[in-house]
Amino acid sequence: MPNPSFLGTTLPLVQAPMAGVQGHALAAAVCNAGGLGSIPAAMLSQEALEKELSQLTALTDKPYNVNFFCHTPPEPDPAREALWQQTLQPYYNELGLSLAGIAPGPGRAPFSEQAADVVEAFKPAVMSFHFGLPPKTLLARVKSWGSRVLASATTLDEALWLQAHGADAIIAQGLEAGGHRGIFLNGDLSTQMGTMALLPQIVQAVRVPVIAAGGIADAAGVAAAMALGASAVQIGTAYMCCPEATTSALHRAALQSPQARHTALTTLFTGRPARGIVNRLMRELGPLNPAAPAFPLATAAIAPLRAKAESVGNADFSPLWSGQNASQCGNLPAAELTRALAKGLVR
């Protein structure tokens, strides 16, 4: 079995951080089964983050990962916001909602000194970042705790950039992966490639360990990634229907239905490309509609539509995040799933 010592875990398996569908319960179960459980922190307030980490560390003494975004918050653009609201007006009319006084949607804040103040008390074994890396001073602070730094790369150029700027390991995020693309050097989606094409190129080019991510859902997928040189494998979608996940009933139903066979990258729900199951909003507006405001501002006007539709059992306006391979998304407890995935590690 490969040596996962760079993660500090028994198994070289990482549970992908998945904001909105999981918290400490899923992470703890994976940690206690020998993998690296993750806490998605980008949508948490400082108080909520401290609570999550306290609850996690009460359930496990194993290494764990805390994940943050590293985006630059955009300047408000009233003209684009007005266009976005105009685009969504027919749906507001249909659901009997008003565009007046839309409240800001759930925030997605980049890693900050304030967040670091909370995390430092816990000194997690691993910190991971999406959309690049934090500023040098913040990164140095994280490393001063002894935390290993992982970061997502969607291209070879991004992997080389991350290595040059201090990442201890690279997550090679293939195009199949669910949720937000980690793309950060440019926004050109034509640069994105599948896991099994991206992974060996990054492995050959960098000196740090590489973690494969995207489309891997079972032991055979784990074995394939390891055969191509991965030092570890990150799995997300397969964990989303575990009993420890907080995935909504509507989202679980979509993941376990034929609908999950059709996913697409979309900017409609947050303003940044992310892979989800195609639903009505994506079909009717086009998944990459240019009217959507910059990340994460698109969320605000979507939130009322989502809430109203979900209240009557409708997921037409919900971000149904999923990778391209939801075939193993079942009700297996997270520890059992982790052990099943680990069978792909034996050579």
Side-chain angles (χ1 to χ4, degrees), residues 238-279:
Y239 281 106
M240 289 176 66
C241 290
C242 292
E244 297 91 346
T246 60
T247 311
S248 71
L250 283 172
H251 199 162
R252 287 174 188 263
L255 286 162
Q256 295 180 323
S257 77
Q259 187 183 1
R261 298 172 192 162
H262 186 193
T263 67
L265 296 182
T266 181
T267 54
L268 297 180
F269 299 105
T270 68
R272 198 167 186 129
R275 184 173 297 284
I277 298 170
V278 174
N279 59 6

Side-chain angles (χ1 to χ4, degrees), residues 77-92 99 102 266-272 281-282 284-305 317:
D77 185 339
R80 193 169 178 186
E81 192 65 42
L83 175 61
W84 185 224
Q85 293 187 19
Q86 180 183 347
T87 302
L88 297 177
Q89 179 76 66
Y91 301 113
Y92 271 74
L99 285 163
I102 291 175
T266 181
T267 54
L268 297 180
F269 299 105
T270 68
R272 198 167 186 129
L281 190 71
M282 293 165 69
E284 293 185 359
L285 294 187
L288 300 172
N289 194 303
F295 178 86
L297 301 179
T299 306
I302 290 290
L305 293 171
F317 304 97

Side-chain angles (χ1 to χ4, degrees), residues 15 26 32 44 58 90 96 129 148 179 190 212 226 237 257 304 314 330 340 344:
Q15 166 249 312
L26 180 64
N32 288 330
L44 300 179
F129 297 99
R148 284 295 188 96
S190 71
M226 301 303 285
T237 304
S257 77
N314 188 318

Side-chain angles (χ1 to χ4, degrees), residues 163-246:
Q163 176 178 258
H165 289 80
D168 296 311
I170 307 294
I171 300 167
Q173 189 196 31
L175 188 56
E176 302 95 328
H180 284 94
R181 302 298 302 147
I183 186 170
F184 66 92
L185 284 185
N186 63 60
D188 184 356
L189 292 179
S190 71
T191 64
Q192 306 293 279
M193 63 181 74
T195 304
M196 297 304 170
L198 177 65
L199 172 63
Q201 294 183 59
I202 293 180
V203 167
Q204 184 177 13
V206 302
R207 301 179 304 277
V208 298
V210 180
I211 300 166
I216 302 167
D218 56 18
V222 170
M226 301 303 285
L228 287 176
S231 295
V233 178
Q234 178 171 287
I235 298 100
T237 304
Y239 281 106
M240 289 176 66
C241 290
C242 292
E244 297 91 346
T246 60

Side-chain angles (χ1 to χ4, degrees), residues 21-34:
V21 298
Q22 61 117 157
H24 65 275
L26 180 64
V30 173
C31 290
N32 288 330

